[in-house]
Coordinates of all heavy atoms in Angstrom, one line a residue:
G79 N 121.1 154.0 67.0 CA 121.7 152.9 66.2 C 122.1 153.3 64.8 O 121.5 154.2 64.2
L80 N 123.1 152.7 64.3 CA 123.5 152.8 62.9 C 123.7 154.3 62.5 O 123.2 154.8 61.5 CB 122.4 152.2 62.0 CG 122.2 150.7 62.2 CD1 121.0 150.2 61.3 CD2 123.4 149.8 62.0
A92 N 120.5 149.1 56.0 CA 120.2 150.3 55.2 C 120.5 151.6 56.0 O 120.4 151.6 57.2 CB 118.7 150.3 54.8
I93 N 120.9 152.7 55.3 CA 121.2 153.9 55.9 C 119.9 154.5 56.5 O 118.9 154.7 55.7 CB 121.8 154.9 54.9 CG1 123.1 154.3 54.3 CG2 122.1 156.2 55.7 CD1 124.1 153.9 55.3
P94 N 119.8 154.7 57.8 CA 118.5 155.2 58.3 C 118.1 156.6 57.8 O 119.0 157.5 57.6 CB 118.7 155.2 59.8 CG 120.2 155.3 60.0 CD 120.8 154.6 58.8
K95 N 116.8 156.8 57.6 CA 116.3 158.1 57.1 C 116.1 159.0 58.3 O 116.1 160.2 58.2 CB 115.0 157.9 56.4 CG 115.2 157.2 55.0 CD 113.9 157.0 54.3 CE 114.1 156.3 53.0 NZ 112.8 156.1 52.2
E96 N 115.8 158.4 59.5 CA 115.7 159.2 60.7 C 116.5 158.4 61.8 O 116.8 157.2 61.6 CB 114.3 159.3 61.2 CG 113.4 160.1 60.3 CD 112.0 160.3 60.9 OE1 111.9 160.4 62.1 OE2 111.0 160.3 60.1
P97 N 116.9 159.1 62.9 CA 117.7 158.4 63.9 C 116.9 157.2 64.5 O 115.7 157.2 64.7 CB 117.9 159.4 65.0 CG 117.9 160.7 64.2 CD 116.9 160.5 63.1
I98 N 117.6 156.1 64.6 CA 117.1 154.9 65.3 C 117.3 155.0 66.8 O 118.5 155.1 67.2 CB 117.7 153.6 64.7 CG1 117.4 153.5 63.2 CG2 117.3 152.4 65.5 CD1 118.2 152.4 62.5
I219 N 126.1 160.3 60.9 CA 125.0 160.6 60.0 C 124.1 161.7 60.5 O 123.8 162.7 59.8 CB 124.2 159.3 59.7 CG1 125.0 158.3 59.1 CG2 123.0 159.7 58.8 CD1 124.4 156.9 59.0
F220 N 123.8 161.6 61.8 CA 123.0 162.6 62.5 C 123.9 163.3 63.6 O 124.4 162.6 64.4 CB 121.7 162.0 63.1 CG 120.9 161.3 62.1 CD1 120.8 159.9 62.0 CD2 120.2 162.0 61.1 CE1 120.0 159.3 61.1 CE2 119.4 161.4 60.2 CZ 119.3 160.0 60.2
K224 N 121.4 167.7 66.1 CA 120.3 167.0 65.5 C 119.7 166.0 66.4 O 118.5 165.9 66.5 CB 120.7 166.4 64.2 CG 119.6 165.5 63.5 CD 118.4 166.3 63.0 CE 117.5 165.4 62.3 NZ 116.3 166.2 61.8
Y228 N 116.0 165.9 67.9 CA 115.2 164.9 67.5 C 114.6 164.1 68.6 O 113.4 163.8 68.7 CB 116.0 163.9 66.5 CG 115.1 162.8 65.9 CD1 114.4 163.0 64.8 CD2 115.1 161.6 66.5 CE1 113.7 162.0 64.2 CE2 114.4 160.5 66.0 CZ 113.6 160.7 64.8 OH 112.9 159.7 64.3

Side-chain angles (χ1 to χ4, degrees):
L80 302 175
I93 304 302
K95 295 181 180 179
E96 296 187 34
I98 296 171
I219 297 171
F220 303 107
K224 173 66 176 180
Y228 183 85

